[in-house]
Amino acid sequence: MPTGNDQKITNWVDPKDKSGEFKRGQSAFRSWISKEPGAEFSPEKGRYHLYVSYACPWAHRTLIVRKLKGLEDFIPFTSVHWHMLDQGWRFVTPDEKLPGENVTADPVHPDFETLQQIYFETDPEYKGRFTVPTLYDKKRGKIVNNESSEIIRMFYTEFDDVLPEEYKTVDLFPKDLQTDIEDTNGWVYDDINNGVYKSGFATTQEAYEKAVTTLFSSLDRVEKHLSSTPGPYYFGSNITEADVRLYTTVIRFDAVYVQHFKCNLRDIRSGYPALHRWVRRLYWDVPAFGQTTEFEHIKRHYTRSHKQINPFSITPVGPEPPILPKDKEVAAAEAVKQDQK
């Protein structure tokens, strides 16, 4: 079966690129669901299907926002299997039982085994990667969009006319904070969201050190912000897009990125107290965050899919637990807390 790519899917850095730097490609499908009259993709209940992986931080954004905006009855979803190799993401087989909601065969295309088949259905000449999230239009039989930052913004507003009032008023991108959110998105994406990948996929020491030092400088910047503002969320008393976009990296940090991507200058639980409080509040107190986080998918995907990093596919046992309760600290952090009393 063709891969649709000029390079192997598992070549995260072009072998011919002497810089050794990971360079993320652009999403290919960029259409928009719109409530404007005459729009090609109008907001209709049950018309669209969302394909995700619980392992993927970009797809995780869409699951969180779908739940925050009360779109569960409007946009069904399917999660692929956590394992991704040469053919990209695949669906589970009937004999496989994985944790998490809707980890099933593709209900829209019962004969499809892989996500790439949906991409080729939309464009038989497609040459890019087969990525999640993928927002699919069942009426027209094609992909609408596979860019997470755009999908979540569609979810913010385009279904509001058909939502109950309690969800219609959920505003994750309020006008008075839009400039601040956009500014934060820029460096958080480059340095943190993508920074863990630039660190982990680097194929030269220089590329790795450049990425990892930038990553931790920006984590320090987040820590300073969270420790000097009232919170409890990034921009105050309400959850915004800034929380959604940062959370999906931070929740994976100790469980995967510290060891697998060599992001080990510090971990979150012992090195960033304000960030640690922030992420735990979201995980334990806000169902849209905690209930969409599946650590088995997260740990097994990274450690068993990235053969160039972990050729024997050994998944570390720790850290246990993958996220601490709100009232517990690691021993080192607890000792610091006691010394400060």
Side-chain angles (χ1 to χ4, degrees):
M1 182 182 292
T3 66
N5 290 272
D6 297 327
Q7 297 184 43
K8 287 179 62 177
I9 290 174
T10 50
N11 279 350
W12 299 103
V13 174
D14 186 341
K16 300 187 292 293
D17 187 343
K18 300 304 181 184
S19 74
E21 296 180 354
F22 169 67
K23 299 178 176 71
R24 186 173 297 279
Q26 294 294 310
S27 300
F29 298 94
R30 309 298 283 270
S31 297
W32 200 273
I33 296 174
S34 173
K35 57 187 175 183
E36 292 298 319
E40 179 182 4
F41 301 102
S42 56
E44 302 171 33
K45 185 176 182 178
R47 174 173 172 174
Y48 303 97
H49 198 85
L50 180 65
Y51 293 96
V52 302
S53 164
Y54 282 114
C56 172
W58 318 104
H60 195 175
R61 296 174 173 182
T62 64
L63 286 179
I64 293 169
V65 173
R66 174 182 173 272
K67 199 168 186 68
L68 287 172
K69 286 293 295 184
L71 289 166
E72 293 101 318
D73 292 337
F74 290 82
I75 304 172
F77 79 93
T78 299
S79 173
V80 295
H81 196 287
W82 50 258
H83 208 197
M84 185 187 70
L85 292 175
D86 289 345
Q87 298 301 313
W89 299 106
R90 69 173 179 85
F91 297 104
V92 298
T93 57
D95 60 320
E96 293 175 313
K97 304 299 179 186
L98 273 65
E101 182 184 6
N102 295 343
V103 187
T104 65
D106 182 0
V108 182
H109 311 88
D111 296 332
F112 283 9
E113 297 178 355
T114 64
L115 187 69
Q116 70 167 293
Q117 290 171 281
I118 297 171
Y119 276 73
F120 288 141
E121 177 195 41
T122 300
D123 179 4
E125 302 302 319
Y126 180 71
K127 296 295 184 184
R129 290 185 177 275
F130 315 111
T131 61
V132 288
T134 300
L135 185 61
Y136 180 82
D137 180 6
K138 292 184 285 187
K139 178 184 287 188
R140 294 182 178 270
K142 63 181 181 179
I143 295 169
V144 178
N145 195 295
N146 67 337
E147 170 50 53
S148 65
S149 65
E150 295 177 353
I151 294 172
I152 61 175
R153 289 201 175 172
M154 293 179 219
F155 289 179
Y156 293 169
T157 57
E158 299 310 305
F159 288 84
D160 280 356
D161 290 348
V162 293
L163 286 177
E165 194 65 28
E166 63 178 303
Y167 294 114
K168 189 183 303 185
T169 56
V170 173
D171 189 357
L172 299 172
F173 194 52
K175 281 187 169 56
D176 62 323
L177 289 173
Q178 286 180 4
T179 298
D180 291 333
I181 291 171
E182 292 284 27
D183 288 345
T184 301
N185 284 349
W187 59 267
V188 166
Y189 169 79
D190 286 334
D191 301 349
I192 299 177
N193 300 146
N194 205 33
V196 292
Y197 287 88
K198 289 190 282 188
S199 301
F201 287 145
T203 58
T204 66
Q205 187 70 28
E206 293 75 16
Y208 162 70
E209 291 189 13
K210 176 184 175 183
V212 82
T213 54
T214 301
L215 164 65
F216 279 91
S217 293
S218 289
L219 286 173
D220 293 344
R221 184 175 175 182
V222 171
E223 178 72 11
K224 182 178 180 180
H225 170 84
L226 290 174
S227 62
S228 61
T229 54
Y233 306 116
Y234 197 90
F235 283 118
S237 58
N238 295 315
I239 293 169
T240 68
E241 180 177 280
D243 296 288
V244 174
R245 290 175 57 128
L246 182 61
Y247 173 88
T248 61
T249 297
V250 173
I251 197 63
R252 288 162 172 75
F253 202 87
D254 288 5
V256 171
Y257 300 146
V258 170
Q259 54 81 22
H260 185 68
F261 279 165
K262 299 179 283 294
C263 301
N264 61 354
L265 290 177
R266 288 176 292 285
D267 61 13
I268 302 298
R269 62 187 64 196
S270 63
Y272 291 100
L275 193 49
H276 194 209
R277 284 193 299 272
W278 168 86
V279 73
R280 286 184 293 175
R281 183 183 183 99
L282 290 170
Y283 179 86
W284 292 111
D285 292 353
V286 186
F289 290 82
Q291 291 178 8
T292 58
T293 302
E294 292 288 347
F295 286 108
E296 180 176 315
H297 287 256
I298 291 167
K299 292 184 68 173
R300 291 191 179 184
H301 163 68
Y302 285 95
T303 57
R304 302 188 189 188
S305 299
H306 299 158
K307 296 289 188 179
Q308 78 280 31
I309 294 176
N310 190 23
F312 293 105
S313 299
I314 296 171
T315 302
V317 174
E320 279 296 329
I323 183 166
L324 291 173
K326 288 166 61 181
D327 61 347
K328 298 290 185 183
E329 304 292 346
V330 296
E334 186 63 39
V336 171
K337 184 186 293 186
Q338 294 302 320
D339 288 344
Q340 291 174 342
K341 289 184 177 179

